[in-house]
Amino acid sequence: MNGRRMPVRILSLLLAAGLAGSLAYGLSNARKGYEPRQPILFRHTRMAGVPVWQKDAKGEMVNVGGFGIPCVYCHTMAYKGRHSTVPSTAVCMNCHTSVGLNKEWVLKMKEYWDRGEPIPWVKVHDLPDFVYYDHSAHLNAKDEKGEPKIPVKDAEGRRINPCEACHGKVEQEEIVRVQVNFNMQWCLDCHRKPEMKAPTDCVACHR
Ligand code: HEC
Ligand code: HEC
Ligand code: HEC
Ligand code: HEC
Ligand code: HEC
């Protein structure tokens, strides 16, 4: 850390933290487990989970599991921008003008659409404004061999979703829940891993 390069922003942050005696608070972002109710019961298990085929009462095969829609179909900016973004209702309506029209929550969603109102999704993850975080920088980071730094394979070489590193298995969640405390220590623990070669200077995350 170099005095001249440290912007006023960080100094005032430090001062504020010192005044409140709350650096410990900064190191313990308390969102883990946060799982707000949403205006529409949108289940990732159903939209993004793996299919499970079963015979229904009439002996016909029906999918009682998920439809395996890729994360980026809806979170279109994950590899392209700072925010992954939550989809607009238009994305849902690509399918829901014709499917699920007998389902309570699909009809509720259609009411928003017909009124021309966006669905007021409640933010689940939310870093303080003084922290800089960029999805695309993480998901596109490559090592010397050209392999993604955020793991896409487990120890046995099976494919894993890179989103898991920070969000867990969202496709298995009925309601999205914050998996870890997104505090400074957590960011730094990963940044300090030798294979990550990620920045640890204050200005990287506080600019
Ligand atoms: C069909 C569209 C769709 C697909 C596919 C989808 N999501 Fe979502 N996702 C949403 C919507 C809508 C929300 C906002 C409502 C909510 O939080 O449940 C959301 C919320 C989230 C959030 C929380 C956002 C916040 O406010 O912090 C995360 C994290 C997330 N999704 C990750 C994923 C991952 C990882 C996958 C793939 C395994 C995925 N999503 C697949 C539509 C989708
Ligand atoms: C290295 C950790 C990390 C990885 C990997 C990651 N995320 Fe996130 N994600 C975050 C953080 C941190 C936030 C909170 C950002 C904020 O509040 O500004 C977040 C927020 C989100 C949000 C809320 C809206 C937004 O963009 O701020 C969505 C949706 C989301 N992530 C989806 C995904 C998806 C889909 C993937 C995989 C393609 C993914 N994330 C991979 C750390 C990660
Ligand atoms: C690629 C097509 C596709 C997209 C895009 C899509 N869905 Fe679905 N959705 C389906 C299918 C197929 C079903 C199952 C319908 C049925 O069971 O009759 C479904 C079922 C649902 C249900 C029914 C309740 C449940 O969980 O079983 C809800 C609610 C829902 N979707 C919400 C959404 C929302 C919100 C979005 C946009 C963020 C979205 N869907 C985007 C295909 C899609
Ligand atoms: C799972 C590991 C991991 C976690 C967790 C993680 N990062 Fe990173 N971060 C990386 C990698 C890998 C890079 C890219 C290093 C490179 O190749 O340059 C990176 C790069 C960055 C950069 C520099 C690139 C840019 O966007 O300007 C910033 C800033 C950053 N991370 C912020 C954060 C913050 C803030 C958090 C916590 C909320 C966080 N990271 C959590 C692995 C991680
Ligand atoms: C890899 C990213 C990263 C780096 C590098 C980093 N920080 Fe942070 N910092 C964070 C995150 C994330 C938070 C927010 C934690 C929370 O929300 O609880 C934070 C919070 C803070 C806070 C606020 C504490 C409070 O009480 O709210 C201060 C002060 C701070 N950082 C100073 C620093 C200084 C000084 C450095 C350099 C030595 C540094 N940070 C390096 C990610 C980082």
Side-chain angles (χ1 to χ4, degrees), residues 152-160:
V152 293
K153 286 190 195 115
D154 69 8
E156 277 87 52
R158 281 183 301 247
R159 251 200 77 76
I160 49 170

Side-chain angles (χ1 to χ4, degrees), residues 156-190:
E156 277 87 52
R158 281 183 301 247
R159 251 200 77 76
I160 49 170
N161 183 337
C163 318
E164 269 181 35
C166 304
H167 296 299
K169 294 185 191 297
V170 177
E171 67 280 11
Q172 295 177 8
E173 289 175 300
E174 291 276 293
I175 296 173
V176 186
R177 175 204 291 256
V178 178
Q179 297 295 314
V180 286
N181 289 325
F182 283 10
N183 57 32
M184 189 155 115
Q185 193 61 51
W186 173 72
C187 310
L188 287 170
D189 281 348
C190 182

Side-chain angles (χ1 to χ4, degrees), residues 40-43 46-47 67 69 73-74 87-89 91-96 99-103 105-106 109 119 121:
I40 302 286
L41 180 59
F42 174 79
R43 300 187 295 157
R46 188 70 169 150
M47 285 305 87
F67 290 93
I69 305 174
Y73 182 93
C74 291
S88 69
T89 315
V91 174
C92 316
M93 296 317 273
N94 285 343
C95 297
H96 285 294
V99 295
L101 294 174
N102 55 345
K103 297 279 190 306
W105 291 109
V106 173
M109 169 168 79
I119 301 170
W121 300 115

